Amino acid sequence: MDITIYYTMWDGKNGSHKLLTTAAGQWLSSCGRSVPEEFQIIAKGPYVKPYIGNIRELEFSISHSGTLWMCAFAQKAVGLDVQKTQNCRKDRVSGRFFHPKEDAWLAAKDYEPFFQVWAAKESYLKYTGAGLTQGMDSFSVISEEGLSESTKEVQQRHFLLDGETLLSGQKLLCGPLAVCITAEEIGEVNWVLLTETE
């Protein structure tokens, strides 16, 4: 299954719904689908995972960190998380919230890949729709080789981006970024800089 990720700068306060509708419209147009005049975001289901009511086959997952907004679109369930790397007490957060296997792996690496683990965990929880109700310590995203390419039988794709030129050459100046996508099956990942529409 191919996944398209739209991204743009964002003030972190206003307009996330507008960005979602713009990105959804562009994704539908790129697939040769008609774009409905109105998008109705509905949050129903066992874990209140939101979906667009009048386009049920369109799945999406939104994430933002710092001044960057991203949204992944696919035809089946998808989870996306982006984390801007920053200073924090990684050892304390890992010891308190992560699975013991992850904490031990991070400690051995001086917590350098902390935000990659965080993004992988959040991405999986967004994929399931469970959010933090499941508990971040209830599963591990680490295998014997390191950061796993699958979590509980679904695929994960990991990216560590510099944020300066973010894929399209557009300078976003948002610092280093850890990004993870979770889906049952991941084919091609398409990155699209979100453009405003009239």
Side-chain angles (χ1 to χ4, degrees), residues 3 14-15 35 37-38 41 59-60 74 95 111 113 124 127 162 175 195:
I3 296 171
N14 302 303
V35 181
E37 291 187 26
E38 184 177 324
I41 308 298
E59 297 279 347
F60 69 93
Y111 296 92
Y124 175 76
Y127 165 80
D162 68 10
T195 57

Side-chain angles (χ1 to χ4, degrees), residues 51-113:
Y51 63 91
I52 298 173
N54 45 353
I55 324 172
R56 187 63 183 108
E57 69 276 12
L58 172 61
E59 297 279 347
F60 69 93
S61 181
I62 295 175
S63 186
H64 48 81
S65 187
T67 58
L68 185 70
W69 180 94
M70 287 185 167
C71 188
F73 290 96
Q75 293 183 339
K76 292 184 179 179
V78 63
L80 169 73
D81 194 61
V82 58
Q83 293 292 324
K84 179 181 175 185
T85 62
Q86 56 191 319
N87 293 327
C88 70
R89 295 298 309 262
K90 299 172 187 171
D91 57 337
R92 287 189 182 179
V93 174
S94 176
R96 182 172 178 197
F97 295 106
F98 288 0
H99 189 278
K101 187 175 181 179
E102 295 163 340
D103 186 45
W105 183 76
L106 284 167
K109 296 193 168 292
D110 200 28
Y111 296 92
E112 190 64 32

Side-chain angles (χ1 to χ4, degrees), residues 42-194:
I42 299 174
K44 288 185 180 176
Y47 300 113
V48 195
K49 185 173 182 179
Y51 63 91
I52 298 173
N54 45 353
I55 324 172
R56 187 63 183 108
E57 69 276 12
L58 172 61
E59 297 279 347
F60 69 93
S61 181
I62 295 175
S63 186
H64 48 81
S65 187
T67 58
L68 185 70
W69 180 94
M70 287 185 167
C71 188
F73 290 96
Q75 293 183 339
K76 292 184 179 179
V78 63
L80 169 73
D81 194 61
V82 58
Q83 293 292 324
K84 179 181 175 185
T85 62
Q86 56 191 319
N87 293 327
C88 70
R89 295 298 309 262
K90 299 172 187 171
D91 57 337
R92 287 189 182 179
V93 174
S94 176
R96 182 172 178 197
F97 295 106
F98 288 0
H99 189 278
K101 187 175 181 179
E102 295 163 340
D103 186 45
W105 183 76
L106 284 167
K109 296 193 168 292
D110 200 28
Y111 296 92
E112 190 64 32
F114 172 84
F115 287 101
Q116 289 173 276
V117 171
W118 186 280
K121 294 181 83 62
E122 286 264 1
S123 174
Y124 175 76
L125 292 172
K126 289 179 179 182
Y127 165 80
T128 65
L132 293 175
T133 61
Q134 182 173 339
M136 292 186 101
D137 62 347
S138 66
F139 65 97
S140 175
V141 297
I142 300 299
S143 68
E144 290 183 16
E145 294 81 32
L147 203 55
S148 182
E149 293 182 6
S150 66
T151 298
K152 292 193 174 187
E153 301 180 11
V154 294
Q155 292 184 3
Q156 289 199 308
R157 187 85 51 88
H158 309 275
F159 302 89
L160 190 58
L161 309 172
D162 68 10
E164 291 290 321
T165 55
L166 192 63
L167 303 163
S168 69
Q170 176 76 19
K171 293 215 177 272
L172 296 178
L173 303 174
C174 51
L177 301 163
V179 179
C180 185
I181 304 165
T182 304
E184 184 177 316
E185 182 181 325
I186 301 174
E188 185 175 342
V189 177
N190 305 297
W191 300 81
V192 179
L193 179 63
L194 184 62

